Amino acid sequence: MHGLIEGLKTRYERSPTHHKLEISEITEIISLSRLPGMPEVASDLHSVHCQKLCDLLDPDSQSKGVPTSEALRAKCQKLEDPVDHSALQATFGTSDGELPTLQSFINDLRDSKHSCIQGPAFAPACKSVMEFLDRTEPAKIDANELHTVLSALWEEAEIRDFIRPFAVHLPALLFHPTCIIVCVEDALDHFPSGCDIQGLLWTAMKRLMKLSKGRSYILAVLARSLRKAVFAHPYAIKSLRGGLPFDDYILDFINNPASIGTEFLFEVVAADKLQQYLPHRTYASYYGMREWHAYAAVIDILHRIPNDPYVSSPETARNILDELELPWEDQKPPVAVKCPWKNTFQLQAMLLMSHYCVDDINVEIHLDYLTRALVVESWPRYRYLLEWAIARIYRRFPEFTQRILIELGNLEEYSPIHIASLMKIGLLVAPYETQDFAVEFITHLNSYSASPKVQIRHEANFAVPIVFDIAIEKGWKRITGNPAFVGMNAFIRRLDKFNASPWTIRTLKVDIEEDFTLTGIFQGRYLSIETPEPELVTHEDFEALERDDQSDGFNPPPARIALGNKIKPSFDVVTPAKTTPVPTTTTTEPTGQITLQTKAGIDLDNLHPPGGPPSMQNARPASVMLVASLIDNPTNLGGLSRISESFGLEALYIDDLKKVAHKDFKATSVRSEKHLAINELKEVGVPAFLLDAKSKGYEVVGIEQTDRSGILGTEDGKNDVVDEGMIRKEARSQDIGTLPKKCCLVLGSEKEGISAEVLAVIDRNVEIKTVGVTRSLNVQTAGGIALYEWWREWGNSKA
Ligand code: SAH
């Protein structure tokens, strides 16, 4: 419609004389304005568009007496009015010029048979009750009367099915601090009124929580109102004493985040347009605040829950923390990379709450819980937050840091991921530790740098220079003066991988103290790196909350965590828009050392040649994709091209398509590249690519020697003959060694094998059993053997 209007305008500017429309044509355009099923703003915008179109096509359509044009005109006229009438003064109880009382309101309800709160009168009625609550001492309010009035309004909204013009006014009214105080005091009273005001608020809270899941505009008003309610009375969160089930609310908010329906996103855009015609019709005038204000309010509750020993409201906070931790701690390996119940917000909340919920008495329990969650977790972002939380607990209770060193000394007892976790945590606490700790720690790192297990070696290598830097800064001579550490530090710094751009979360530095601010937790770099995740809330949202408190004269209890500095957007950091789905983009290569790769999201379709994926173009017989992006030697890539083509794969992915033209590539590929889809997939894009492949039904299998790998071709997932004293003594359960029918196979780089960040998203690994002393096979050989095995398993099955 907008396009038509603009087009016609331009045309008339060029030639003012134009063809007049027939009545039937105008009627048809007008009938468009009655399209059913559109949400509010879209429908209003549509009416404005229809009216504009009619005016343009035929400025005097009114005179022609088109019957329906009247209705359209009338609707557009009404749009000039405010969105709701809450700005208008309600009439109840003010006839004698006195301040309204609840009794006068009840009289009005009775006399008008509730019509004084119906339809457009609802919003002004809510507003005047709120004004009354604002101005009246809770002690002067009769619980029974308040209950009557609130029930009447609640029922009215219920009759109207809680449609938007009703629902948006309820939270601020029902959970008004005065209502909460009246409710709690009544429950504590020796002679309670007997009315069930707590029951009403309870029901309303549950109902509105549920409604907010589908109607995102309720989220922010509800959260903002409940936030004020929590702070209204020390017993507000003690449900046995007349308070409300805040723990349920908060847990539900964090664990089952509301999704923002596309129709609301469309309303946002429609409101933006409508506002250009009618400036008072903003999104907020219909729906109030956007969802992120809900997050700001809930987080604000979390870090301000009052610490009143007599009421022991931290009890509630502790329960919330325990409930959040429980499912994480309770996971049994192997843990899937993406579990539907897990989300980043849970960990952010745990990090925030552990700050004040962990004390002398429960510190070991929390350390155990969080560590247990960490050592089975593979998703880098989750690991990052768990490590941060654990390190902060050690920081606050340094008497326990010996645990890190003791466990690091027990290589036999722990899995590689556990050891890697311990090293990371040691690294995080090192700046706040003593020289003794650091010396013992770097000694362990030195040994682990020689580990045959990639994961451990990577972690140890990466940590050494960082600890060394800390030692220089602190003047820890026992480290800086020790030739073994000096040599190790110098050696690792010369490795390419140490100097590579920090595009993974694993190498992202965090200062567990300085970064521990609301902004650091909710807008840290770790959210925009690797597979970016939308920010739930920003610095500005917390500021908005503070500003609104000031203008309302509302004084919340003191904050426990600083807001922190505003994030300066660096030139190449693209922050995904809040609440919109993570956009997928093709990755670009990090140019030079300093470019920070922030978006690893990759659009699979962009990688395929036009005309769809190769599997469709030219039905290749093996439903297998081979990812060779970690490999850089052109000879090896040429060999893999030959193998992939020979075994009929769907596609081969390599880091740089230019390599196909390299003479060494050609020497081994023997023109196989002409008959095979070879696509470019940058190394940085591999984790995102693999996640995407999984969503398309591929199982992602690494061809790699890891401590968990299944032996290729064996089904039971056990190492068939375990030689005492040889490679593996641990009776750990292994992955199975057969290959899935539809799979994405990943090979590792010649030097490093499969990197830790890629391992993190791989479903399972298989390894080729060898008996000689040579450490590993050439990558071409490994690829060839794996593909032969795929055909052995699936060759006879029908496509
Ligand atoms: N990780 C080895 C070197 C990697 S060899 C090391 O630390 O020395 C290069 C790649 O070939 C590996 O990443 C893996 O994908 C594959 N590979 C080599 N030998 C293998 C074997 N026995 N089983 C499975 N994959 C193997």
Side-chain angles (χ1 to χ4, degrees):
M1 298 293 273
H2 181 77
L4 272 177
I5 293 168
E6 294 303 308
L8 280 172
K9 270 197 207 151
T10 316
R11 185 170 134 192
Y12 293 162
E13 272 159 24
R14 293 197 189 137
S15 64
T17 54
H18 58 86
H19 147 89
K20 291 259 150 131
L21 293 183
E22 298 297 322
I23 286 221
S24 63
E25 289 172 305
I26 293 178
T27 315
E28 203 169 323
I29 292 174
I30 290 170
S31 74
L32 281 177
S33 68
R34 294 192 304 273
L35 271 183
M38 271 193 285
E40 270 183 282
V41 182
S43 159
D44 290 349
L45 174 65
H46 192 59
S47 301
V48 171
H49 277 153
C50 286
Q51 183 63 51
K52 293 242 176 281
L53 201 59
C54 287
D55 291 348
L56 268 172
L57 288 169
D58 191 51
D60 33 55
S61 64
Q62 228 176 346
S63 56
K64 283 194 191 154
V66 181
T68 43
S69 78
E70 259 325 298
L72 178 57
R73 212 164 276 285
K75 179 164 182 203
C76 289
Q77 192 57 48
K78 260 182 91 182
L79 293 179
E80 305 278 341
D81 296 343
V83 178
D84 71 36
H85 297 79
S86 57
L88 306 178
Q89 191 55 49
T91 48
F92 82 84
T94 46
S95 45
D96 49 2
E98 294 275 297
L99 275 182
T101 62
L102 287 175
Q103 194 50 54
S104 61
F105 191 85
I106 294 170
N107 292 342
D108 277 4
L109 274 175
R110 194 189 47 228
D111 297 347
S112 71
K113 298 209 170 58
H114 285 223
S115 72
C116 65
I117 57 169
Q118 283 166 356
F122 186 82
C126 287
K127 199 190 164 207
S128 34
V129 178
M130 292 251 290
E131 272 170 14
F132 167 81
L133 295 170
D134 279 343
R135 273 181 298 181
T136 314
E137 284 281 312
K140 299 216 173 87
I141 294 179
D142 177 72
N144 256 314
E145 287 179 357
L146 183 61
H147 180 241
T148 310
V149 169
L150 297 181
S151 310
L153 289 162
W154 176 257
E155 273 162 29
E156 187 57 33
E158 195 165 30
I159 293 168
R160 303 300 304 272
D161 211 14
F162 298 106
I163 53 174
R164 197 275 309 160
F166 291 80
V168 291
H169 298 292
L170 290 171
L173 170 67
L174 294 169
F175 308 115
H176 191 285
T178 308
C179 294
I180 301 294
I181 298 172
V182 171
C183 180
V184 176
E185 292 294 343
D186 188 46
L188 297 175
D189 204 325
H190 287 305
F191 304 103
S193 68
C195 74
D196 191 13
I197 185 162
Q198 191 191 10
L200 172 69
L201 297 186
W202 195 294
T203 314
M205 185 161 164
K206 290 279 180 182
R207 187 66 185 267
L208 289 166
M209 269 160 71
K210 211 162 152 202
L211 284 174
S212 69
K213 299 287 177 198
R215 310 197 206 161
S216 42
Y217 55 85
I218 299 178
L219 286 170
V221 280
L222 182 60
R224 281 261 186 133
S225 312
L226 289 176
R227 171 178 169 269
K228 285 190 175 169
V230 172
F231 304 143
H233 191 288
Y235 282 164
I237 55 179
K238 289 201 91 82
S239 43
L240 288 177
R241 304 288 190 84
L244 292 175
F246 277 99
D247 38 0
D248 287 355
Y249 168 71
I250 290 170
L251 283 166
D252 180 64
F253 188 92
I254 298 173
N255 286 329
N256 312 308
S259 59
I260 314 302
T262 34
E263 69 272 28
F264 288 112
L265 296 176
F266 189 77
E267 287 285 86
V268 174
V269 185
D272 209 39
K273 279 255 169 294
L274 183 59
Q275 203 187 341
Q276 289 166 17
Y277 301 115
L278 301 163
H280 65 290
R281 298 227 155 216
T282 56
Y283 175 88
S285 69
Y286 286 83
Y287 291 117
M289 284 173 288
R290 288 297 301 275
E291 315 76 69
W292 35 85
H293 294 288
Y295 283 90
V298 169
I299 292 161
D300 197 70
I301 297 178
L302 289 184
H303 84 117
R304 287 181 202 264
I305 288 189
N307 208 350
D308 182 339
Y310 298 105
V311 188
S312 72
S313 40
E315 236 3 87
T316 310
R318 267 187 225 121
N319 289 343
I320 295 175
L321 179 59
D322 289 348
E323 291 282 337
L324 286 174
E325 274 177 0
L326 197 68
W328 286 82
E329 176 265 336
D330 207 26
Q331 300 178 92
K332 301 273 171 302
V335 172
V337 173
K338 290 246 153 139
C339 291
W341 60 267
K342 286 189 193 177
N343 67 46
T344 303
F345 191 24
Q346 292 161 342
L347 293 170
Q348 290 166 328
M350 275 147 68
L351 171 61
L352 204 108
M353 298 181 80
S354 60
H355 176 63
Y356 64 96
C357 292
V358 175
D359 56 27
D360 300 329
I361 298 161
N362 61 25
V363 52
E364 285 194 275
I365 299 175
H366 285 286
L367 279 177
D368 286 344
Y369 273 23
L370 294 170
T371 309
R372 229 174 291 161
L374 174 62
V375 301
V376 295
E377 184 55 58
S378 55
W379 188 239
R381 187 162 6 254
Y382 296 162
R383 288 184 58 79
Y384 182 91
L385 285 164
L386 284 165
E387 286 158 353
W388 191 356
I390 296 170
R392 282 192 54 84
I393 298 180
Y394 278 122
R395 156 92 179 102
R396 286 182 42 234
F397 299 91
E399 61 273 29
F400 291 100
T401 47
Q402 272 304 316
R403 278 173 56 143
I404 304 175
L405 300 174
I406 293 169
E407 290 184 12
L408 274 176
N410 297 343
L411 170 63
E412 300 298 313
E413 264 176 54
Y414 301 107
S415 62
I417 191 166
H418 191 144
I419 301 281
S421 305
L422 290 169
M423 286 192 275
K424 181 65 189 283
I425 292 168
L427 190 61
L428 293 178
V429 298
Y432 301 98
E433 273 296 331
T434 58
Q435 176 163 214
D436 286 344
F437 176 91
V439 170
E440 213 177 313
F441 181 55
I442 199 170
T443 309
H444 283 303
L445 294 181
N446 228 25
S447 325
Y448 282 118
S449 290
S451 168
K453 293 175 180 160
V454 259
Q455 233 171 351
I456 295 182
R457 204 167 62 218
H458 278 200
E459 204 69 56
N461 283 179
F462 180 74
V464 169
I466 299 177
V467 179
F468 203 85
D469 280 346
I470 299 171
I472 294 175
E473 195 188 307
K474 305 253 177 185
W476 288 336
K477 295 267 164 17
R478 280 159 57 208
I479 292 176
T480 55
N482 180 321
F485 299 145
V486 172
M488 190 68 176
N489 173 51
F491 175 77
I492 291 171
R493 279 176 199 274
R494 281 199 303 271
L495 298 177
D496 289 346
K497 75 166 182 237
F498 185 76
N499 296 309
S501 322
W503 48 264
T504 75
I505 289 180
R506 199 178 65 83
T507 55
L508 192 66
K509 296 199 180 81
V510 54
D511 186 312
I512 56 171
E513 285 296 335
E514 271 165 35
D515 295 330
F516 189 70
T517 61
L518 292 183
T519 313
I521 298 171
F522 293 97
Q523 285 191 281
R525 270 288 301 284
Y526 74 99
L527 288 167
S528 58
I529 219 164
E530 278 182 89
T531 319
E533 191 164 315
E535 288 166 357
L536 299 170
V537 57
T538 62
H539 187 91
E540 289 76 8
D541 305 328
F542 291 113
E543 282 181 337
L545 185 63
E546 209 172 296
R547 258 199 320 273
D548 289 353
D549 278 350
Q550 273 162 14
S551 69
D552 293 353
F554 182 76
N555 274 324
R560 292 197 173 86
I561 295 153
L563 175 57
N565 295 329
K566 201 175 160 124
I567 302 277
K568 280 187 227 77
S570 66
F571 66 99
D572 60 348
V573 174
V574 192
T575 314
K578 290 188 270 201
T579 71
T580 50
V582 182
T584 49
T585 47
T586 318
T587 45
T588 47
E589 172 155 40
T591 46
Q593 293 270 92
I594 15 99
T595 311
L596 305 172
Q597 178 63 41
T598 57
K599 285 203 147 189
I602 196 158
D603 184 354
L604 187 60
D605 293 328
N606 285 348
L607 296 167
H608 291 308
S615 50
M616 313 263 289
Q617 283 171 3
N618 168 16
R620 310 276 308 171
S623 46
V624 178
M625 307 196 280
L626 185 64
V627 173
S629 301
L630 309 183
I631 295 156
D632 48 41
N633 178 323
T635 306
N636 283 337
L637 290 170
L640 287 170
S641 161
R642 182 174 184 169
I643 291 166
S644 302
E645 201 289 319
S646 301
F647 285 111
L649 301 200
E650 279 178 13
L652 170 68
Y653 290 89
I654 65 173
D655 181 64
D656 185 356
L657 277 184
K658 284 200 286 295
K659 294 213 169 126
V660 174
H662 196 284
K663 66 175 188 346
D664 295 346
F665 183 102
K666 292 197 154 138
T668 42
S669 76
V670 293
R671 297 176 62 80
S672 56
E673 72 275 17
K674 304 270 184 268
H675 311 283
L676 167 74
I678 302 187
N679 302 320
E680 187 163 285
L681 167 61
K682 291 290 171 204
E683 190 177 343
V684 292
V686 172
F689 174 85
L690 296 180
L691 289 176
D692 191 55
K694 288 187 207 200
S695 73
K696 297 189 167 122
Y698 289 87
E699 192 171 338
V700 177
V701 178
I703 316 285
E704 187 57 277
Q705 299 157 291
T706 75
D707 66 314
R708 284 248 298 267
S709 298
I711 300 298
L712 185 68
T714 63
E715 231 161 52
D716 55 2
K718 291 257 159 53
N719 198 349
D720 35 21
V721 185
V722 183
D723 273 359
E724 251 328 298
M726 274 198 64
I727 318 158
R728 47 184 99 246
K729 280 194 296 197
E730 321 111 280
R732 295 169 44 77
S733 75
Q734 306 293 307
D735 291 336
I736 59 164
T738 51
L739 295 173
K741 181 157 187 191
K742 185 168 173 180
C743 64
C744 183
L745 299 178
V746 184
L747 288 166
S749 83
E750 292 88 343
K751 287 200 207 97
E752 304 285 335
I754 301 182
S755 60
E757 45 279 9
V758 173
L759 278 177
V761 294
I762 281 177
D763 293 317
R764 59 189 173 86
N765 288 289
V766 296
E767 103 176 51
I768 300 153
K769 189 173 173 173
T770 54
V771 292
V773 290
T774 313
R775 192 156 85 184
S776 62
L777 298 167
N778 166 285
V779 67
Q780 289 184 51
T781 315
I785 293 174
L787 292 173
Y788 181 85
E789 168 62 16
W790 188 91
W791 276 100
R792 196 186 64 78
E793 290 174 30
W794 297 105
N796 293 328
S797 75
K798 283 177 227 77

